[in-house]
Every structure is written in structure tokens, then in C-alpha cells.
Amino acid sequence: MGISWGSMMLVALGGAFGGMARVALSNLFAKWLGIAFPWGTLAVNLLGAFALGGLASTLHQGSPPSGGAWLIIAVGLLGGFTTVSSFSLQTLGLWESGMGGKALANIISTLTFGVAALCLGAWLAGGGL
């Protein structure tokens, strides 16, 4: 079973807007708070987790979420908005620069607050995952 062209286009469209939003928000946080810590990446990952929790709770009807809304928003938009690769690279950069404490803080805050944001989003949407 393959993915249709229409489905791929929904993901691509959402991903394009998600990627642009990530760059804009990351740059805004860097301007506000500086670049000593990857605040922008942390913010987009937490916002993305929160939104995904709400979306998954809203669209979950006893089976894994799917369909056009899921593809364009969850897979495309939020997939393009959040970023594991930037998180990983920035964490490595902190570590290699002798800032092990900041690297560890980035890992712990991203994972802990990311799961918490996902759960909060799901809870606020009126359900659970």
C-alpha cells in the first residue's frame, strides 16, 4: 500500500509552512534571548508537542489519527515546525564547546517539557492520547 500523490502534496504543503514558521520563531527567540542557549529550538519543539497533543486528542476516534487533516497539520506542518536534527546539533555544539551543563539542560528540558506539553495539549483538547 503506497501513499497517494494527493497525500504527499498535503504533507509537502504543511511542511513548507511549518519549516518557515520554525525559522521565523527561532530567529525571533535568538533576537530576544541571545544564542547562548537554543531557546528557539526548545520553543518550537514544545509548541509543536503541545499542538500535536491537542490535535491527536481531537482527531483520535479509537484508532490512530489519519486523513487529510492529520497529514497536512500533524505530519506536514508540525513535522516541519519541530526539529530533532537542530536539537541534536545544538546539543552537540554545547557539549563540544565545554558547556556540558547547558547540553544536559537542553536534553532534559526538551524531553521532559516536551512530553508534558503533549499531555497538556491532549488534556486541554478534552481527552487523552
Side-chain angles (χ1 to χ4, degrees), residues 38-106:
W39 294 111
T41 300
L42 179 62
V44 297
N45 285 336
L46 297 182
L47 286 170
F50 175 78
L52 185 61
L55 183 67
S57 180
T58 301
L59 297 180
H60 186 60
Q61 303 293 326
S63 62
S66 61
W70 183 257
L71 288 174
I72 195 168
I73 301 170
V75 179
L77 182 72
L78 295 176
F81 183 64
T82 59
T83 174
V84 170
S85 57
S86 291
F87 158 73
S88 301
L89 181 63
Q90 291 164 340
T91 302
L92 179 63
L94 290 169
W95 182 264
E96 288 178 339
S97 297
M99 295 184 266
K102 284 186 179 181
L104 187 58
N106 194 35

Short mmCIF file of all heavy atoms in Angstrom, two decimals, residues 38-106:
data_model
loop_
_atom_site.label_atom_id
_atom_site.label_comp_id
_atom_site.label_asym_id
_atom_site.label_seq_id
_atom_site.Cartn_x
_atom_site.Cartn_y
_atom_site.Cartn_z
N PRO A 38 19.90 27.31 23.00
CA PRO A 38 18.97 27.19 21.85
C PRO A 38 17.50 27.36 22.23
O PRO A 38 16.67 26.47 22.08
CB PRO A 38 19.27 25.80 21.30
CG PRO A 38 19.81 25.03 22.44
CD PRO A 38 20.54 26.02 23.30
N TRP A 39 17.16 28.55 22.71
CA TRP A 39 15.78 28.83 23.15
C TRP A 39 14.77 28.67 22.02
O TRP A 39 13.65 28.20 22.24
CB TRP A 39 15.69 30.25 23.71
CG TRP A 39 16.46 30.43 24.98
CD1 TRP A 39 17.60 31.17 25.14
CD2 TRP A 39 16.18 29.86 26.26
NE1 TRP A 39 18.04 31.09 26.44
CE2 TRP A 39 17.18 30.30 27.15
CE3 TRP A 39 15.18 29.02 26.73
CZ2 TRP A 39 17.21 29.93 28.49
CZ3 TRP A 39 15.21 28.65 28.07
CH2 TRP A 39 16.21 29.10 28.93
N GLY A 40 15.13 29.08 20.81
CA GLY A 40 14.18 28.99 19.70
C GLY A 40 13.82 27.56 19.36
O GLY A 40 12.64 27.24 19.15
N THR A 41 14.80 26.70 19.33
CA THR A 41 14.53 25.28 19.04
C THR A 41 13.71 24.66 20.15
O THR A 41 12.77 23.91 19.90
CB THR A 41 15.85 24.52 18.84
OG1 THR A 41 16.56 25.11 17.74
CG2 THR A 41 15.60 23.06 18.54
N LEU A 42 14.04 25.00 21.39
CA LEU A 42 13.25 24.50 22.52
C LEU A 42 11.80 24.97 22.40
O LEU A 42 10.87 24.18 22.57
CB LEU A 42 13.87 24.95 23.85
CG LEU A 42 13.13 24.51 25.11
CD1 LEU A 42 13.08 23.00 25.23
CD2 LEU A 42 13.80 25.13 26.35
N ALA A 43 11.61 26.24 22.08
CA ALA A 43 10.25 26.78 21.97
C ALA A 43 9.45 26.10 20.87
O ALA A 43 8.30 25.73 21.09
CB ALA A 43 10.31 28.30 21.72
N VAL A 44 10.04 25.93 19.69
CA VAL A 44 9.27 25.31 18.61
C VAL A 44 8.97 23.85 18.92
O VAL A 44 7.87 23.37 18.61
CB VAL A 44 9.95 25.45 17.22
CG1 VAL A 44 10.08 26.90 16.81
CG2 VAL A 44 11.27 24.74 17.13
N ASN A 45 9.91 23.16 19.56
CA ASN A 45 9.64 21.76 19.90
C ASN A 45 8.56 21.62 20.95
O ASN A 45 7.70 20.74 20.86
CB ASN A 45 10.93 21.05 20.33
CG ASN A 45 11.83 20.75 19.15
OD1 ASN A 45 11.38 20.64 18.02
ND2 ASN A 45 13.11 20.62 19.41
N LEU A 46 8.55 22.52 21.94
CA LEU A 46 7.50 22.47 22.96
C LEU A 46 6.15 22.89 22.41
O LEU A 46 5.12 22.26 22.70
CB LEU A 46 7.88 23.32 24.17
CG LEU A 46 9.14 22.88 24.93
CD1 LEU A 46 9.38 23.80 26.13
CD2 LEU A 46 9.06 21.44 25.34
N LEU A 47 6.12 23.94 21.60
CA LEU A 47 4.86 24.36 20.97
C LEU A 47 4.33 23.28 20.03
O LEU A 47 3.13 23.01 19.99
CB LEU A 47 5.05 25.66 20.20
CG LEU A 47 5.19 26.92 21.05
CD1 LEU A 47 5.63 28.10 20.19
CD2 LEU A 47 3.87 27.23 21.74
N GLY A 48 5.23 22.66 19.29
CA GLY A 48 4.83 21.59 18.38
C GLY A 48 4.27 20.39 19.13
O GLY A 48 3.26 19.80 18.72
N ALA A 49 4.90 20.01 20.24
CA ALA A 49 4.41 18.90 21.05
C ALA A 49 3.03 19.22 21.64
O ALA A 49 2.13 18.38 21.62
CB ALA A 49 5.40 18.57 22.16
N PHE A 50 2.88 20.43 22.13
CA PHE A 50 1.59 20.87 22.67
C PHE A 50 0.49 20.79 21.60
O PHE A 50 -0.58 20.23 21.82
CB PHE A 50 1.72 22.30 23.20
CG PHE A 50 0.43 22.91 23.67
CD1 PHE A 50 -0.10 22.58 24.91
CD2 PHE A 50 -0.26 23.81 22.87
CE1 PHE A 50 -1.28 23.13 25.34
CE2 PHE A 50 -1.44 24.37 23.30
CZ PHE A 50 -1.97 24.03 24.54
N ALA A 51 0.78 21.33 20.43
CA ALA A 51 -0.20 21.31 19.34
C ALA A 51 -0.51 19.89 18.88
O ALA A 51 -1.66 19.56 18.61
CB ALA A 51 0.31 22.15 18.16
N LEU A 52 0.51 19.05 18.82
CA LEU A 52 0.29 17.67 18.40
C LEU A 52 -0.56 16.92 19.41
O LEU A 52 -1.42 16.12 19.03
CB LEU A 52 1.62 16.96 18.17
CG LEU A 52 1.52 15.54 17.61
CD1 LEU A 52 0.84 15.56 16.24
CD2 LEU A 52 2.90 14.92 17.50
N GLY A 53 -0.35 17.17 20.69
CA GLY A 53 -1.18 16.54 21.71
C GLY A 53 -2.64 16.92 21.55
O GLY A 53 -3.53 16.07 21.60
N GLY A 54 -2.90 18.21 21.34
CA GLY A 54 -4.27 18.66 21.14
C GLY A 54 -4.88 18.09 19.87
O GLY A 54 -6.03 17.65 19.86
N LEU A 55 -4.11 18.09 18.80
CA LEU A 55 -4.60 17.57 17.53
C LEU A 55 -4.88 16.08 17.61
O LEU A 55 -5.92 15.61 17.15
CB LEU A 55 -3.59 17.86 16.42
CG LEU A 55 -4.00 17.44 15.01
CD1 LEU A 55 -5.18 18.29 14.53
CD2 LEU A 55 -2.82 17.57 14.06
N ALA A 56 -3.96 15.32 18.20
CA ALA A 56 -4.14 13.88 18.31
C ALA A 56 -5.37 13.56 19.15
O ALA A 56 -6.14 12.66 18.82
CB ALA A 56 -2.89 13.22 18.90
N SER A 57 -5.55 14.30 20.24
CA SER A 57 -6.72 14.08 21.08
C SER A 57 -8.01 14.41 20.35
O SER A 57 -9.00 13.69 20.46
CB SER A 57 -6.60 14.92 22.35
OG SER A 57 -7.72 14.72 23.18
N THR A 58 -7.98 15.49 19.57
CA THR A 58 -9.17 15.91 18.83
C THR A 58 -9.52 14.94 17.71
O THR A 58 -10.69 14.61 17.50
CB THR A 58 -8.94 17.32 18.24
OG1 THR A 58 -8.68 18.22 19.31
CG2 THR A 58 -10.15 17.79 17.46
N LEU A 59 -8.52 14.45 17.00
CA LEU A 59 -8.78 13.58 15.85
C LEU A 59 -8.84 12.09 16.19
O LEU A 59 -9.24 11.30 15.36
CB LEU A 59 -7.70 13.80 14.77
CG LEU A 59 -7.64 15.19 14.15
CD1 LEU A 59 -6.53 15.26 13.11
CD2 LEU A 59 -8.98 15.57 13.53
N HIS A 60 -8.44 11.73 17.39
CA HIS A 60 -8.39 10.31 17.78
C HIS A 60 -9.80 9.80 18.05
O HIS A 60 -10.50 10.30 18.90
CB HIS A 60 -7.52 10.16 19.02
CG HIS A 60 -7.29 8.75 19.43
ND1 HIS A 60 -6.68 7.83 18.61
CD2 HIS A 60 -7.58 8.10 20.57
CE1 HIS A 60 -6.61 6.67 19.24
NE2 HIS A 60 -7.14 6.81 20.43
N GLN A 61 -10.19 8.81 17.28
CA GLN A 61 -11.53 8.24 17.42
C GLN A 61 -11.44 6.72 17.62
O GLN A 61 -12.16 5.96 16.99
CB GLN A 61 -12.37 8.53 16.17
CG GLN A 61 -12.51 10.00 15.84
CD GLN A 61 -13.32 10.76 16.87
OE1 GLN A 61 -14.25 10.22 17.44
NE2 GLN A 61 -12.95 12.00 17.13
N GLY A 62 -10.56 6.26 18.49
CA GLY A 62 -10.42 4.83 18.74
C GLY A 62 -9.41 4.16 17.82
O GLY A 62 -9.17 2.97 17.93
N SER A 63 -8.85 4.88 16.90
CA SER A 63 -7.82 4.34 16.02
C SER A 63 -6.77 5.42 15.83
O SER A 63 -7.02 6.59 16.13
CB SER A 63 -8.41 3.93 14.68
OG SER A 63 -8.96 5.04 14.02
N PRO A 64 -5.59 5.06 15.32
CA PRO A 64 -4.59 6.10 15.10
C PRO A 64 -5.13 7.19 14.18
O PRO A 64 -5.82 6.90 13.20
CB PRO A 64 -3.44 5.35 14.43
CG PRO A 64 -3.63 3.92 14.82
CD PRO A 64 -5.12 3.74 14.96
N PRO A 65 -4.85 8.44 14.49
CA PRO A 65 -5.33 9.54 13.65
C PRO A 65 -4.81 9.40 12.22
O PRO A 65 -3.70 8.95 11.99
CB PRO A 65 -4.75 10.79 14.31
CG PRO A 65 -4.44 10.39 15.71
CD PRO A 65 -4.11 8.94 15.65
N SER A 66 -5.65 9.75 11.27
CA SER A 66 -5.26 9.68 9.86
C SER A 66 -6.14 10.65 9.09
O SER A 66 -6.93 11.37 9.66
CB SER A 66 -5.42 8.25 9.33
OG SER A 66 -6.77 7.85 9.43
N GLY A 67 -5.99 10.66 7.78
CA GLY A 67 -6.80 11.51 6.93
C GLY A 67 -6.08 12.79 6.56
O GLY A 67 -4.96 13.05 6.97
N GLY A 68 -6.74 13.60 5.75
CA GLY A 68 -6.15 14.81 5.22
C GLY A 68 -5.72 15.81 6.27
O GLY A 68 -4.65 16.40 6.17
N ALA A 69 -6.56 16.02 7.29
CA ALA A 69 -6.20 16.98 8.34
C ALA A 69 -4.95 16.52 9.08
O ALA A 69 -4.07 17.32 9.38
CB ALA A 69 -7.36 17.16 9.32
N TRP A 70 -4.86 15.23 9.35
CA TRP A 70 -3.69 14.69 10.04
C TRP A 70 -2.44 14.86 9.19
O TRP A 70 -1.39 15.26 9.70
CB TRP A 70 -3.91 13.22 10.39
CG TRP A 70 -2.77 12.63 11.15
CD1 TRP A 70 -1.80 11.81 10.68
CD2 TRP A 70 -2.48 12.84 12.54
NE1 TRP A 70 -0.91 11.50 11.67
CE2 TRP A 70 -1.32 12.12 12.82
CE3 TRP A 70 -3.09 13.58 13.55
CZ2 TRP A 70 -0.74 12.10 14.10
CZ3 TRP A 70 -2.52 13.55 14.81
CH2 TRP A 70 -1.36 12.83 15.08
N LEU A 71 -2.55 14.57 7.91
CA LEU A 71 -1.39 14.66 7.02
C LEU A 71 -0.87 16.09 6.90
O LEU A 71 0.33 16.33 7.00
CB LEU A 71 -1.74 14.12 5.63
CG LEU A 71 -1.91 12.61 5.53
CD1 LEU A 71 -2.40 12.22 4.14
CD2 LEU A 71 -0.62 11.88 5.87
N ILE A 72 -1.76 17.05 6.67
CA ILE A 72 -1.30 18.42 6.45
C ILE A 72 -0.85 19.09 7.74
O ILE A 72 0.15 19.83 7.75
CB ILE A 72 -2.34 19.28 5.70
CG1 ILE A 72 -1.67 20.55 5.15
CG2 ILE A 72 -3.53 19.60 6.57
CD1 ILE A 72 -2.52 21.32 4.15
N ILE A 73 -1.54 18.83 8.86
CA ILE A 73 -1.22 19.52 10.10
C ILE A 73 -0.17 18.77 10.92
O ILE A 73 0.89 19.33 11.25
CB ILE A 73 -2.48 19.79 10.95
CG1 ILE A 73 -3.47 20.65 10.17
CG2 ILE A 73 -2.11 20.47 12.26
CD1 ILE A 73 -4.84 20.76 10.81
N ALA A 74 -0.43 17.52 11.26
CA ALA A 74 0.48 16.77 12.14
C ALA A 74 1.76 16.37 11.42
O ALA A 74 2.86 16.68 11.88
CB ALA A 74 -0.22 15.53 12.69
N VAL A 75 1.62 15.70 10.29
CA VAL A 75 2.81 15.19 9.59
C VAL A 75 3.55 16.33 8.89
O VAL A 75 4.77 16.46 9.02
CB VAL A 75 2.42 14.09 8.58
CG1 VAL A 75 3.64 13.59 7.83
CG2 VAL A 75 1.71 12.93 9.29
N GLY A 76 2.82 17.18 8.17
CA GLY A 76 3.45 18.25 7.41
C GLY A 76 3.83 19.45 8.24
O GLY A 76 5.00 19.72 8.48
N LEU A 77 2.82 20.19 8.70
CA LEU A 77 3.05 21.45 9.41
C LEU A 77 3.88 21.25 10.68
O LEU A 77 4.93 21.87 10.86
CB LEU A 77 1.73 22.12 9.75
CG LEU A 77 1.83 23.47 10.45
CD1 LEU A 77 2.31 24.54 9.47
CD2 LEU A 77 0.50 23.87 11.05
N LEU A 78 3.42 20.38 11.58
CA LEU A 78 4.13 20.19 12.85
C LEU A 78 5.43 19.42 12.66
O LEU A 78 6.39 19.64 13.38
CB LEU A 78 3.22 19.53 13.88
CG LEU A 78 2.01 20.37 14.30
CD1 LEU A 78 1.11 19.60 15.24
CD2 LEU A 78 2.45 21.68 14.91
N GLY A 79 5.46 18.51 11.67
CA GLY A 79 6.71 17.82 11.36
C GLY A 79 7.77 18.77 10.83
O GLY A 79 8.95 18.64 11.13
N GLY A 80 7.36 19.74 10.03
CA GLY A 80 8.28 20.75 9.53
C GLY A 80 8.62 21.81 10.57
O GLY A 80 9.69 22.41 10.53
N PHE A 81 7.72 22.02 11.51
CA PHE A 81 7.91 23.04 12.54
C PHE A 81 8.88 22.57 13.62
O PHE A 81 9.78 23.30 14.02
CB PHE A 81 6.55 23.39 13.15
CG PHE A 81 6.57 24.48 14.18
CD1 PHE A 81 6.93 25.77 13.84
CD2 PHE A 81 6.20 24.22 15.49
CE1 PHE A 81 6.93 26.79 14.79
CE2 PHE A 81 6.19 25.23 16.45
CZ PHE A 81 6.57 26.51 16.09
N THR A 82 8.68 21.35 14.10
CA THR A 82 9.56 20.82 15.14
C THR A 82 10.82 20.26 14.51
O THR A 82 10.87 19.98 13.32
CB THR A 82 8.84 19.73 15.95
OG1 THR A 82 8.45 18.67 15.07
CG2 THR A 82 7.62 20.29 16.66
N THR A 83 11.85 20.08 15.32
CA THR A 83 13.12 19.67 14.74
C THR A 83 13.99 18.88 15.71
O THR A 83 14.47 19.43 16.69
CB THR A 83 13.89 20.87 14.19
OG1 THR A 83 15.16 20.45 13.74
CG2 THR A 83 14.04 22.00 15.19
N VAL A 84 14.16 17.63 15.43
CA VAL A 84 15.07 16.80 16.20
C VAL A 84 16.50 17.05 15.75
O VAL A 84 17.43 17.06 16.57
CB VAL A 84 14.71 15.30 16.08
CG1 VAL A 84 15.79 14.42 16.68
CG2 VAL A 84 13.38 15.03 16.74
N SER A 85 16.69 17.29 14.47
CA SER A 85 18.04 17.47 13.96
C SER A 85 18.69 18.73 14.52
O SER A 85 19.87 18.70 14.94
CB SER A 85 18.04 17.50 12.43
OG SER A 85 17.18 18.51 11.94
N SER A 86 17.99 19.85 14.56
CA SER A 86 18.56 21.06 15.14
C SER A 86 18.82 20.89 16.63
O SER A 86 19.85 21.31 17.15
CB SER A 86 17.64 22.26 14.92
OG SER A 86 17.60 22.60 13.55
N PHE A 87 17.88 20.27 17.31
CA PHE A 87 18.05 19.98 18.74
C PHE A 87 19.32 19.17 18.96
O PHE A 87 20.14 19.49 19.83
CB PHE A 87 16.81 19.23 19.27
CG PHE A 87 17.06 18.42 20.51
CD1 PHE A 87 17.22 19.04 21.74
CD2 PHE A 87 17.11 17.04 20.45
CE1 PHE A 87 17.45 18.29 22.89
CE2 PHE A 87 17.33 16.29 21.59
CZ PHE A 87 17.50 16.91 22.81
N SER A 88 19.52 18.13 18.18
CA SER A 88 20.69 17.27 18.33
C SER A 88 21.98 18.02 18.02
O SER A 88 22.96 17.93 18.78
CB SER A 88 20.57 16.06 17.40
OG SER A 88 19.40 15.32 17.69
N LEU A 89 22.00 18.77 16.94
CA LEU A 89 23.19 19.52 16.54
C LEU A 89 23.54 20.59 17.57
O LEU A 89 24.71 20.76 17.94
CB LEU A 89 23.00 20.13 15.16
CG LEU A 89 24.18 20.92 14.60
CD1 LEU A 89 25.39 20.01 14.41
CD2 LEU A 89 23.80 21.58 13.28
N GLN A 90 22.54 21.31 18.05
CA GLN A 90 22.79 22.36 19.03
C GLN A 90 23.26 21.78 20.35
O GLN A 90 24.13 22.35 21.02
CB GLN A 90 21.54 23.22 19.21
CG GLN A 90 21.24 24.06 17.99
CD GLN A 90 19.83 24.62 17.97
OE1 GLN A 90 18.94 24.14 18.66
NE2 GLN A 90 19.64 25.67 17.18
N THR A 91 22.71 20.63 20.74
CA THR A 91 23.15 19.97 21.96
C THR A 91 24.61 19.53 21.84
O THR A 91 25.42 19.73 22.75
CB THR A 91 22.25 18.77 22.29
OG1 THR A 91 20.90 19.23 22.42
CG2 THR A 91 22.66 18.09 23.58
N LEU A 92 24.96 18.95 20.71
CA LEU A 92 26.35 18.56 20.46
C LEU A 92 27.27 19.78 20.47
O LEU A 92 28.36 19.73 21.05
CB LEU A 92 26.47 17.82 19.12
CG LEU A 92 27.88 17.38 18.72
CD1 LEU A 92 28.45 16.38 19.72
CD2 LEU A 92 27.86 16.79 17.32
N GLY A 93 26.83 20.87 19.87
CA GLY A 93 27.62 22.10 19.86
C GLY A 93 27.88 22.62 21.26
O GLY A 93 28.99 23.06 21.58
N LEU A 94 26.87 22.57 22.13
CA LEU A 94 27.05 22.99 23.52
C LEU A 94 28.07 22.09 24.21
O LEU A 94 28.97 22.56 24.91
CB LEU A 94 25.71 22.95 24.27
CG LEU A 94 24.67 24.01 23.89
CD1 LEU A 94 23.32 23.69 24.51
CD2 LEU A 94 25.14 25.40 24.30
N TRP A 95 27.93 20.80 24.01
CA TRP A 95 28.84 19.82 24.62
C TRP A 95 30.28 20.06 24.16
O TRP A 95 31.20 20.11 24.98
CB TRP A 95 28.38 18.41 24.28
CG TRP A 95 29.25 17.36 24.91
CD1 TRP A 95 30.30 16.71 24.33
CD2 TRP A 95 29.14 16.86 26.23
NE1 TRP A 95 30.86 15.83 25.23
CE2 TRP A 95 30.16 15.90 26.40
CE3 TRP A 95 28.29 17.13 27.29
CZ2 TRP A 95 30.33 15.21 27.59
CZ3 TRP A 95 28.47 16.43 28.48
CH2 TRP A 95 29.49 15.49 28.61
N GLU A 96 30.47 20.19 22.87
CA GLU A 96 31.81 20.37 22.32
C GLU A 96 32.43 21.71 22.71
O GLU A 96 33.65 21.86 22.69
CB GLU A 96 31.79 20.22 20.80
CG GLU A 96 31.57 18.79 20.35
CD GLU A 96 31.51 18.64 18.84
OE1 GLU A 96 31.24 19.64 18.13
OE2 GLU A 96 31.71 17.51 18.36
N SER A 97 31.60 22.68 23.06
CA SER A 97 32.09 23.99 23.49
C SER A 97 32.39 24.03 24.99
O SER A 97 32.64 25.09 25.54
CB SER A 97 31.07 25.07 23.14
OG SER A 97 30.89 25.14 21.75
N GLY A 98 32.32 22.88 25.63
CA GLY A 98 32.60 22.82 27.06
C GLY A 98 31.45 23.23 27.94
O GLY A 98 31.63 23.51 29.11
N MET A 99 30.25 23.27 27.36
CA MET A 99 29.06 23.65 28.13
C MET A 99 28.18 22.43 28.36
O MET A 99 27.02 22.37 27.95
CB MET A 99 28.30 24.76 27.40
CG MET A 99 29.08 26.06 27.31
SD MET A 99 28.15 27.38 26.55
CE MET A 99 28.70 27.21 24.84
N GLY A 100 28.77 21.44 29.04
CA GLY A 100 28.05 20.19 29.29
C GLY A 100 26.77 20.38 30.09
O GLY A 100 25.78 19.69 29.85
N GLY A 101 26.80 21.32 31.02
CA GLY A 101 25.59 21.59 31.82
C GLY A 101 24.45 22.10 30.96
O GLY A 101 23.30 21.68 31.12
N LYS A 102 24.77 23.01 30.04
CA LYS A 102 23.73 23.52 29.14
C LYS A 102 23.26 22.43 28.18
O LYS A 102 22.07 22.36 27.85
CB LYS A 102 24.25 24.72 28.35
CG LYS A 102 24.32 25.99 29.17
CD LYS A 102 24.69 27.19 28.32
CE LYS A 102 24.73 28.45 29.15
NZ LYS A 102 25.06 29.62 28.33
N ALA A 103 24.17 21.57 27.73
CA ALA A 103 23.78 20.47 26.85
C ALA A 103 22.82 19.54 27.57
O ALA A 103 21.78 19.15 27.02
CB ALA A 103 25.02 19.70 26.37
N LEU A 104 23.15 19.19 28.81
CA LEU A 104 22.28 18.33 29.60
C LEU A 104 20.95 19.01 29.89
O LEU A 104 19.89 18.37 29.81
CB LEU A 104 22.98 17.94 30.90
CG LEU A 104 22.28 16.90 31.76
CD1 LEU A 104 22.07 15.60 30.99
CD2 LEU A 104 23.10 16.64 33.02
N ALA A 105 20.98 20.30 30.19
CA ALA A 105 19.74 21.05 30.43
C ALA A 105 18.86 21.06 29.19
O ALA A 105 17.63 20.95 29.29
CB ALA A 105 20.06 22.48 30.86
N ASN A 106 19.48 21.17 28.02
CA ASN A 106 18.71 21.15 26.77
C ASN A 106 18.04 19.80 26.56
O ASN A 106 16.87 19.73 26.19
CB ASN A 106 19.63 21.49 25.59
CG ASN A 106 18.86 21.83 24.34
OD1 ASN A 106 17.78 22.42 24.40
ND2 ASN A 106 19.41 21.46 23.20
#
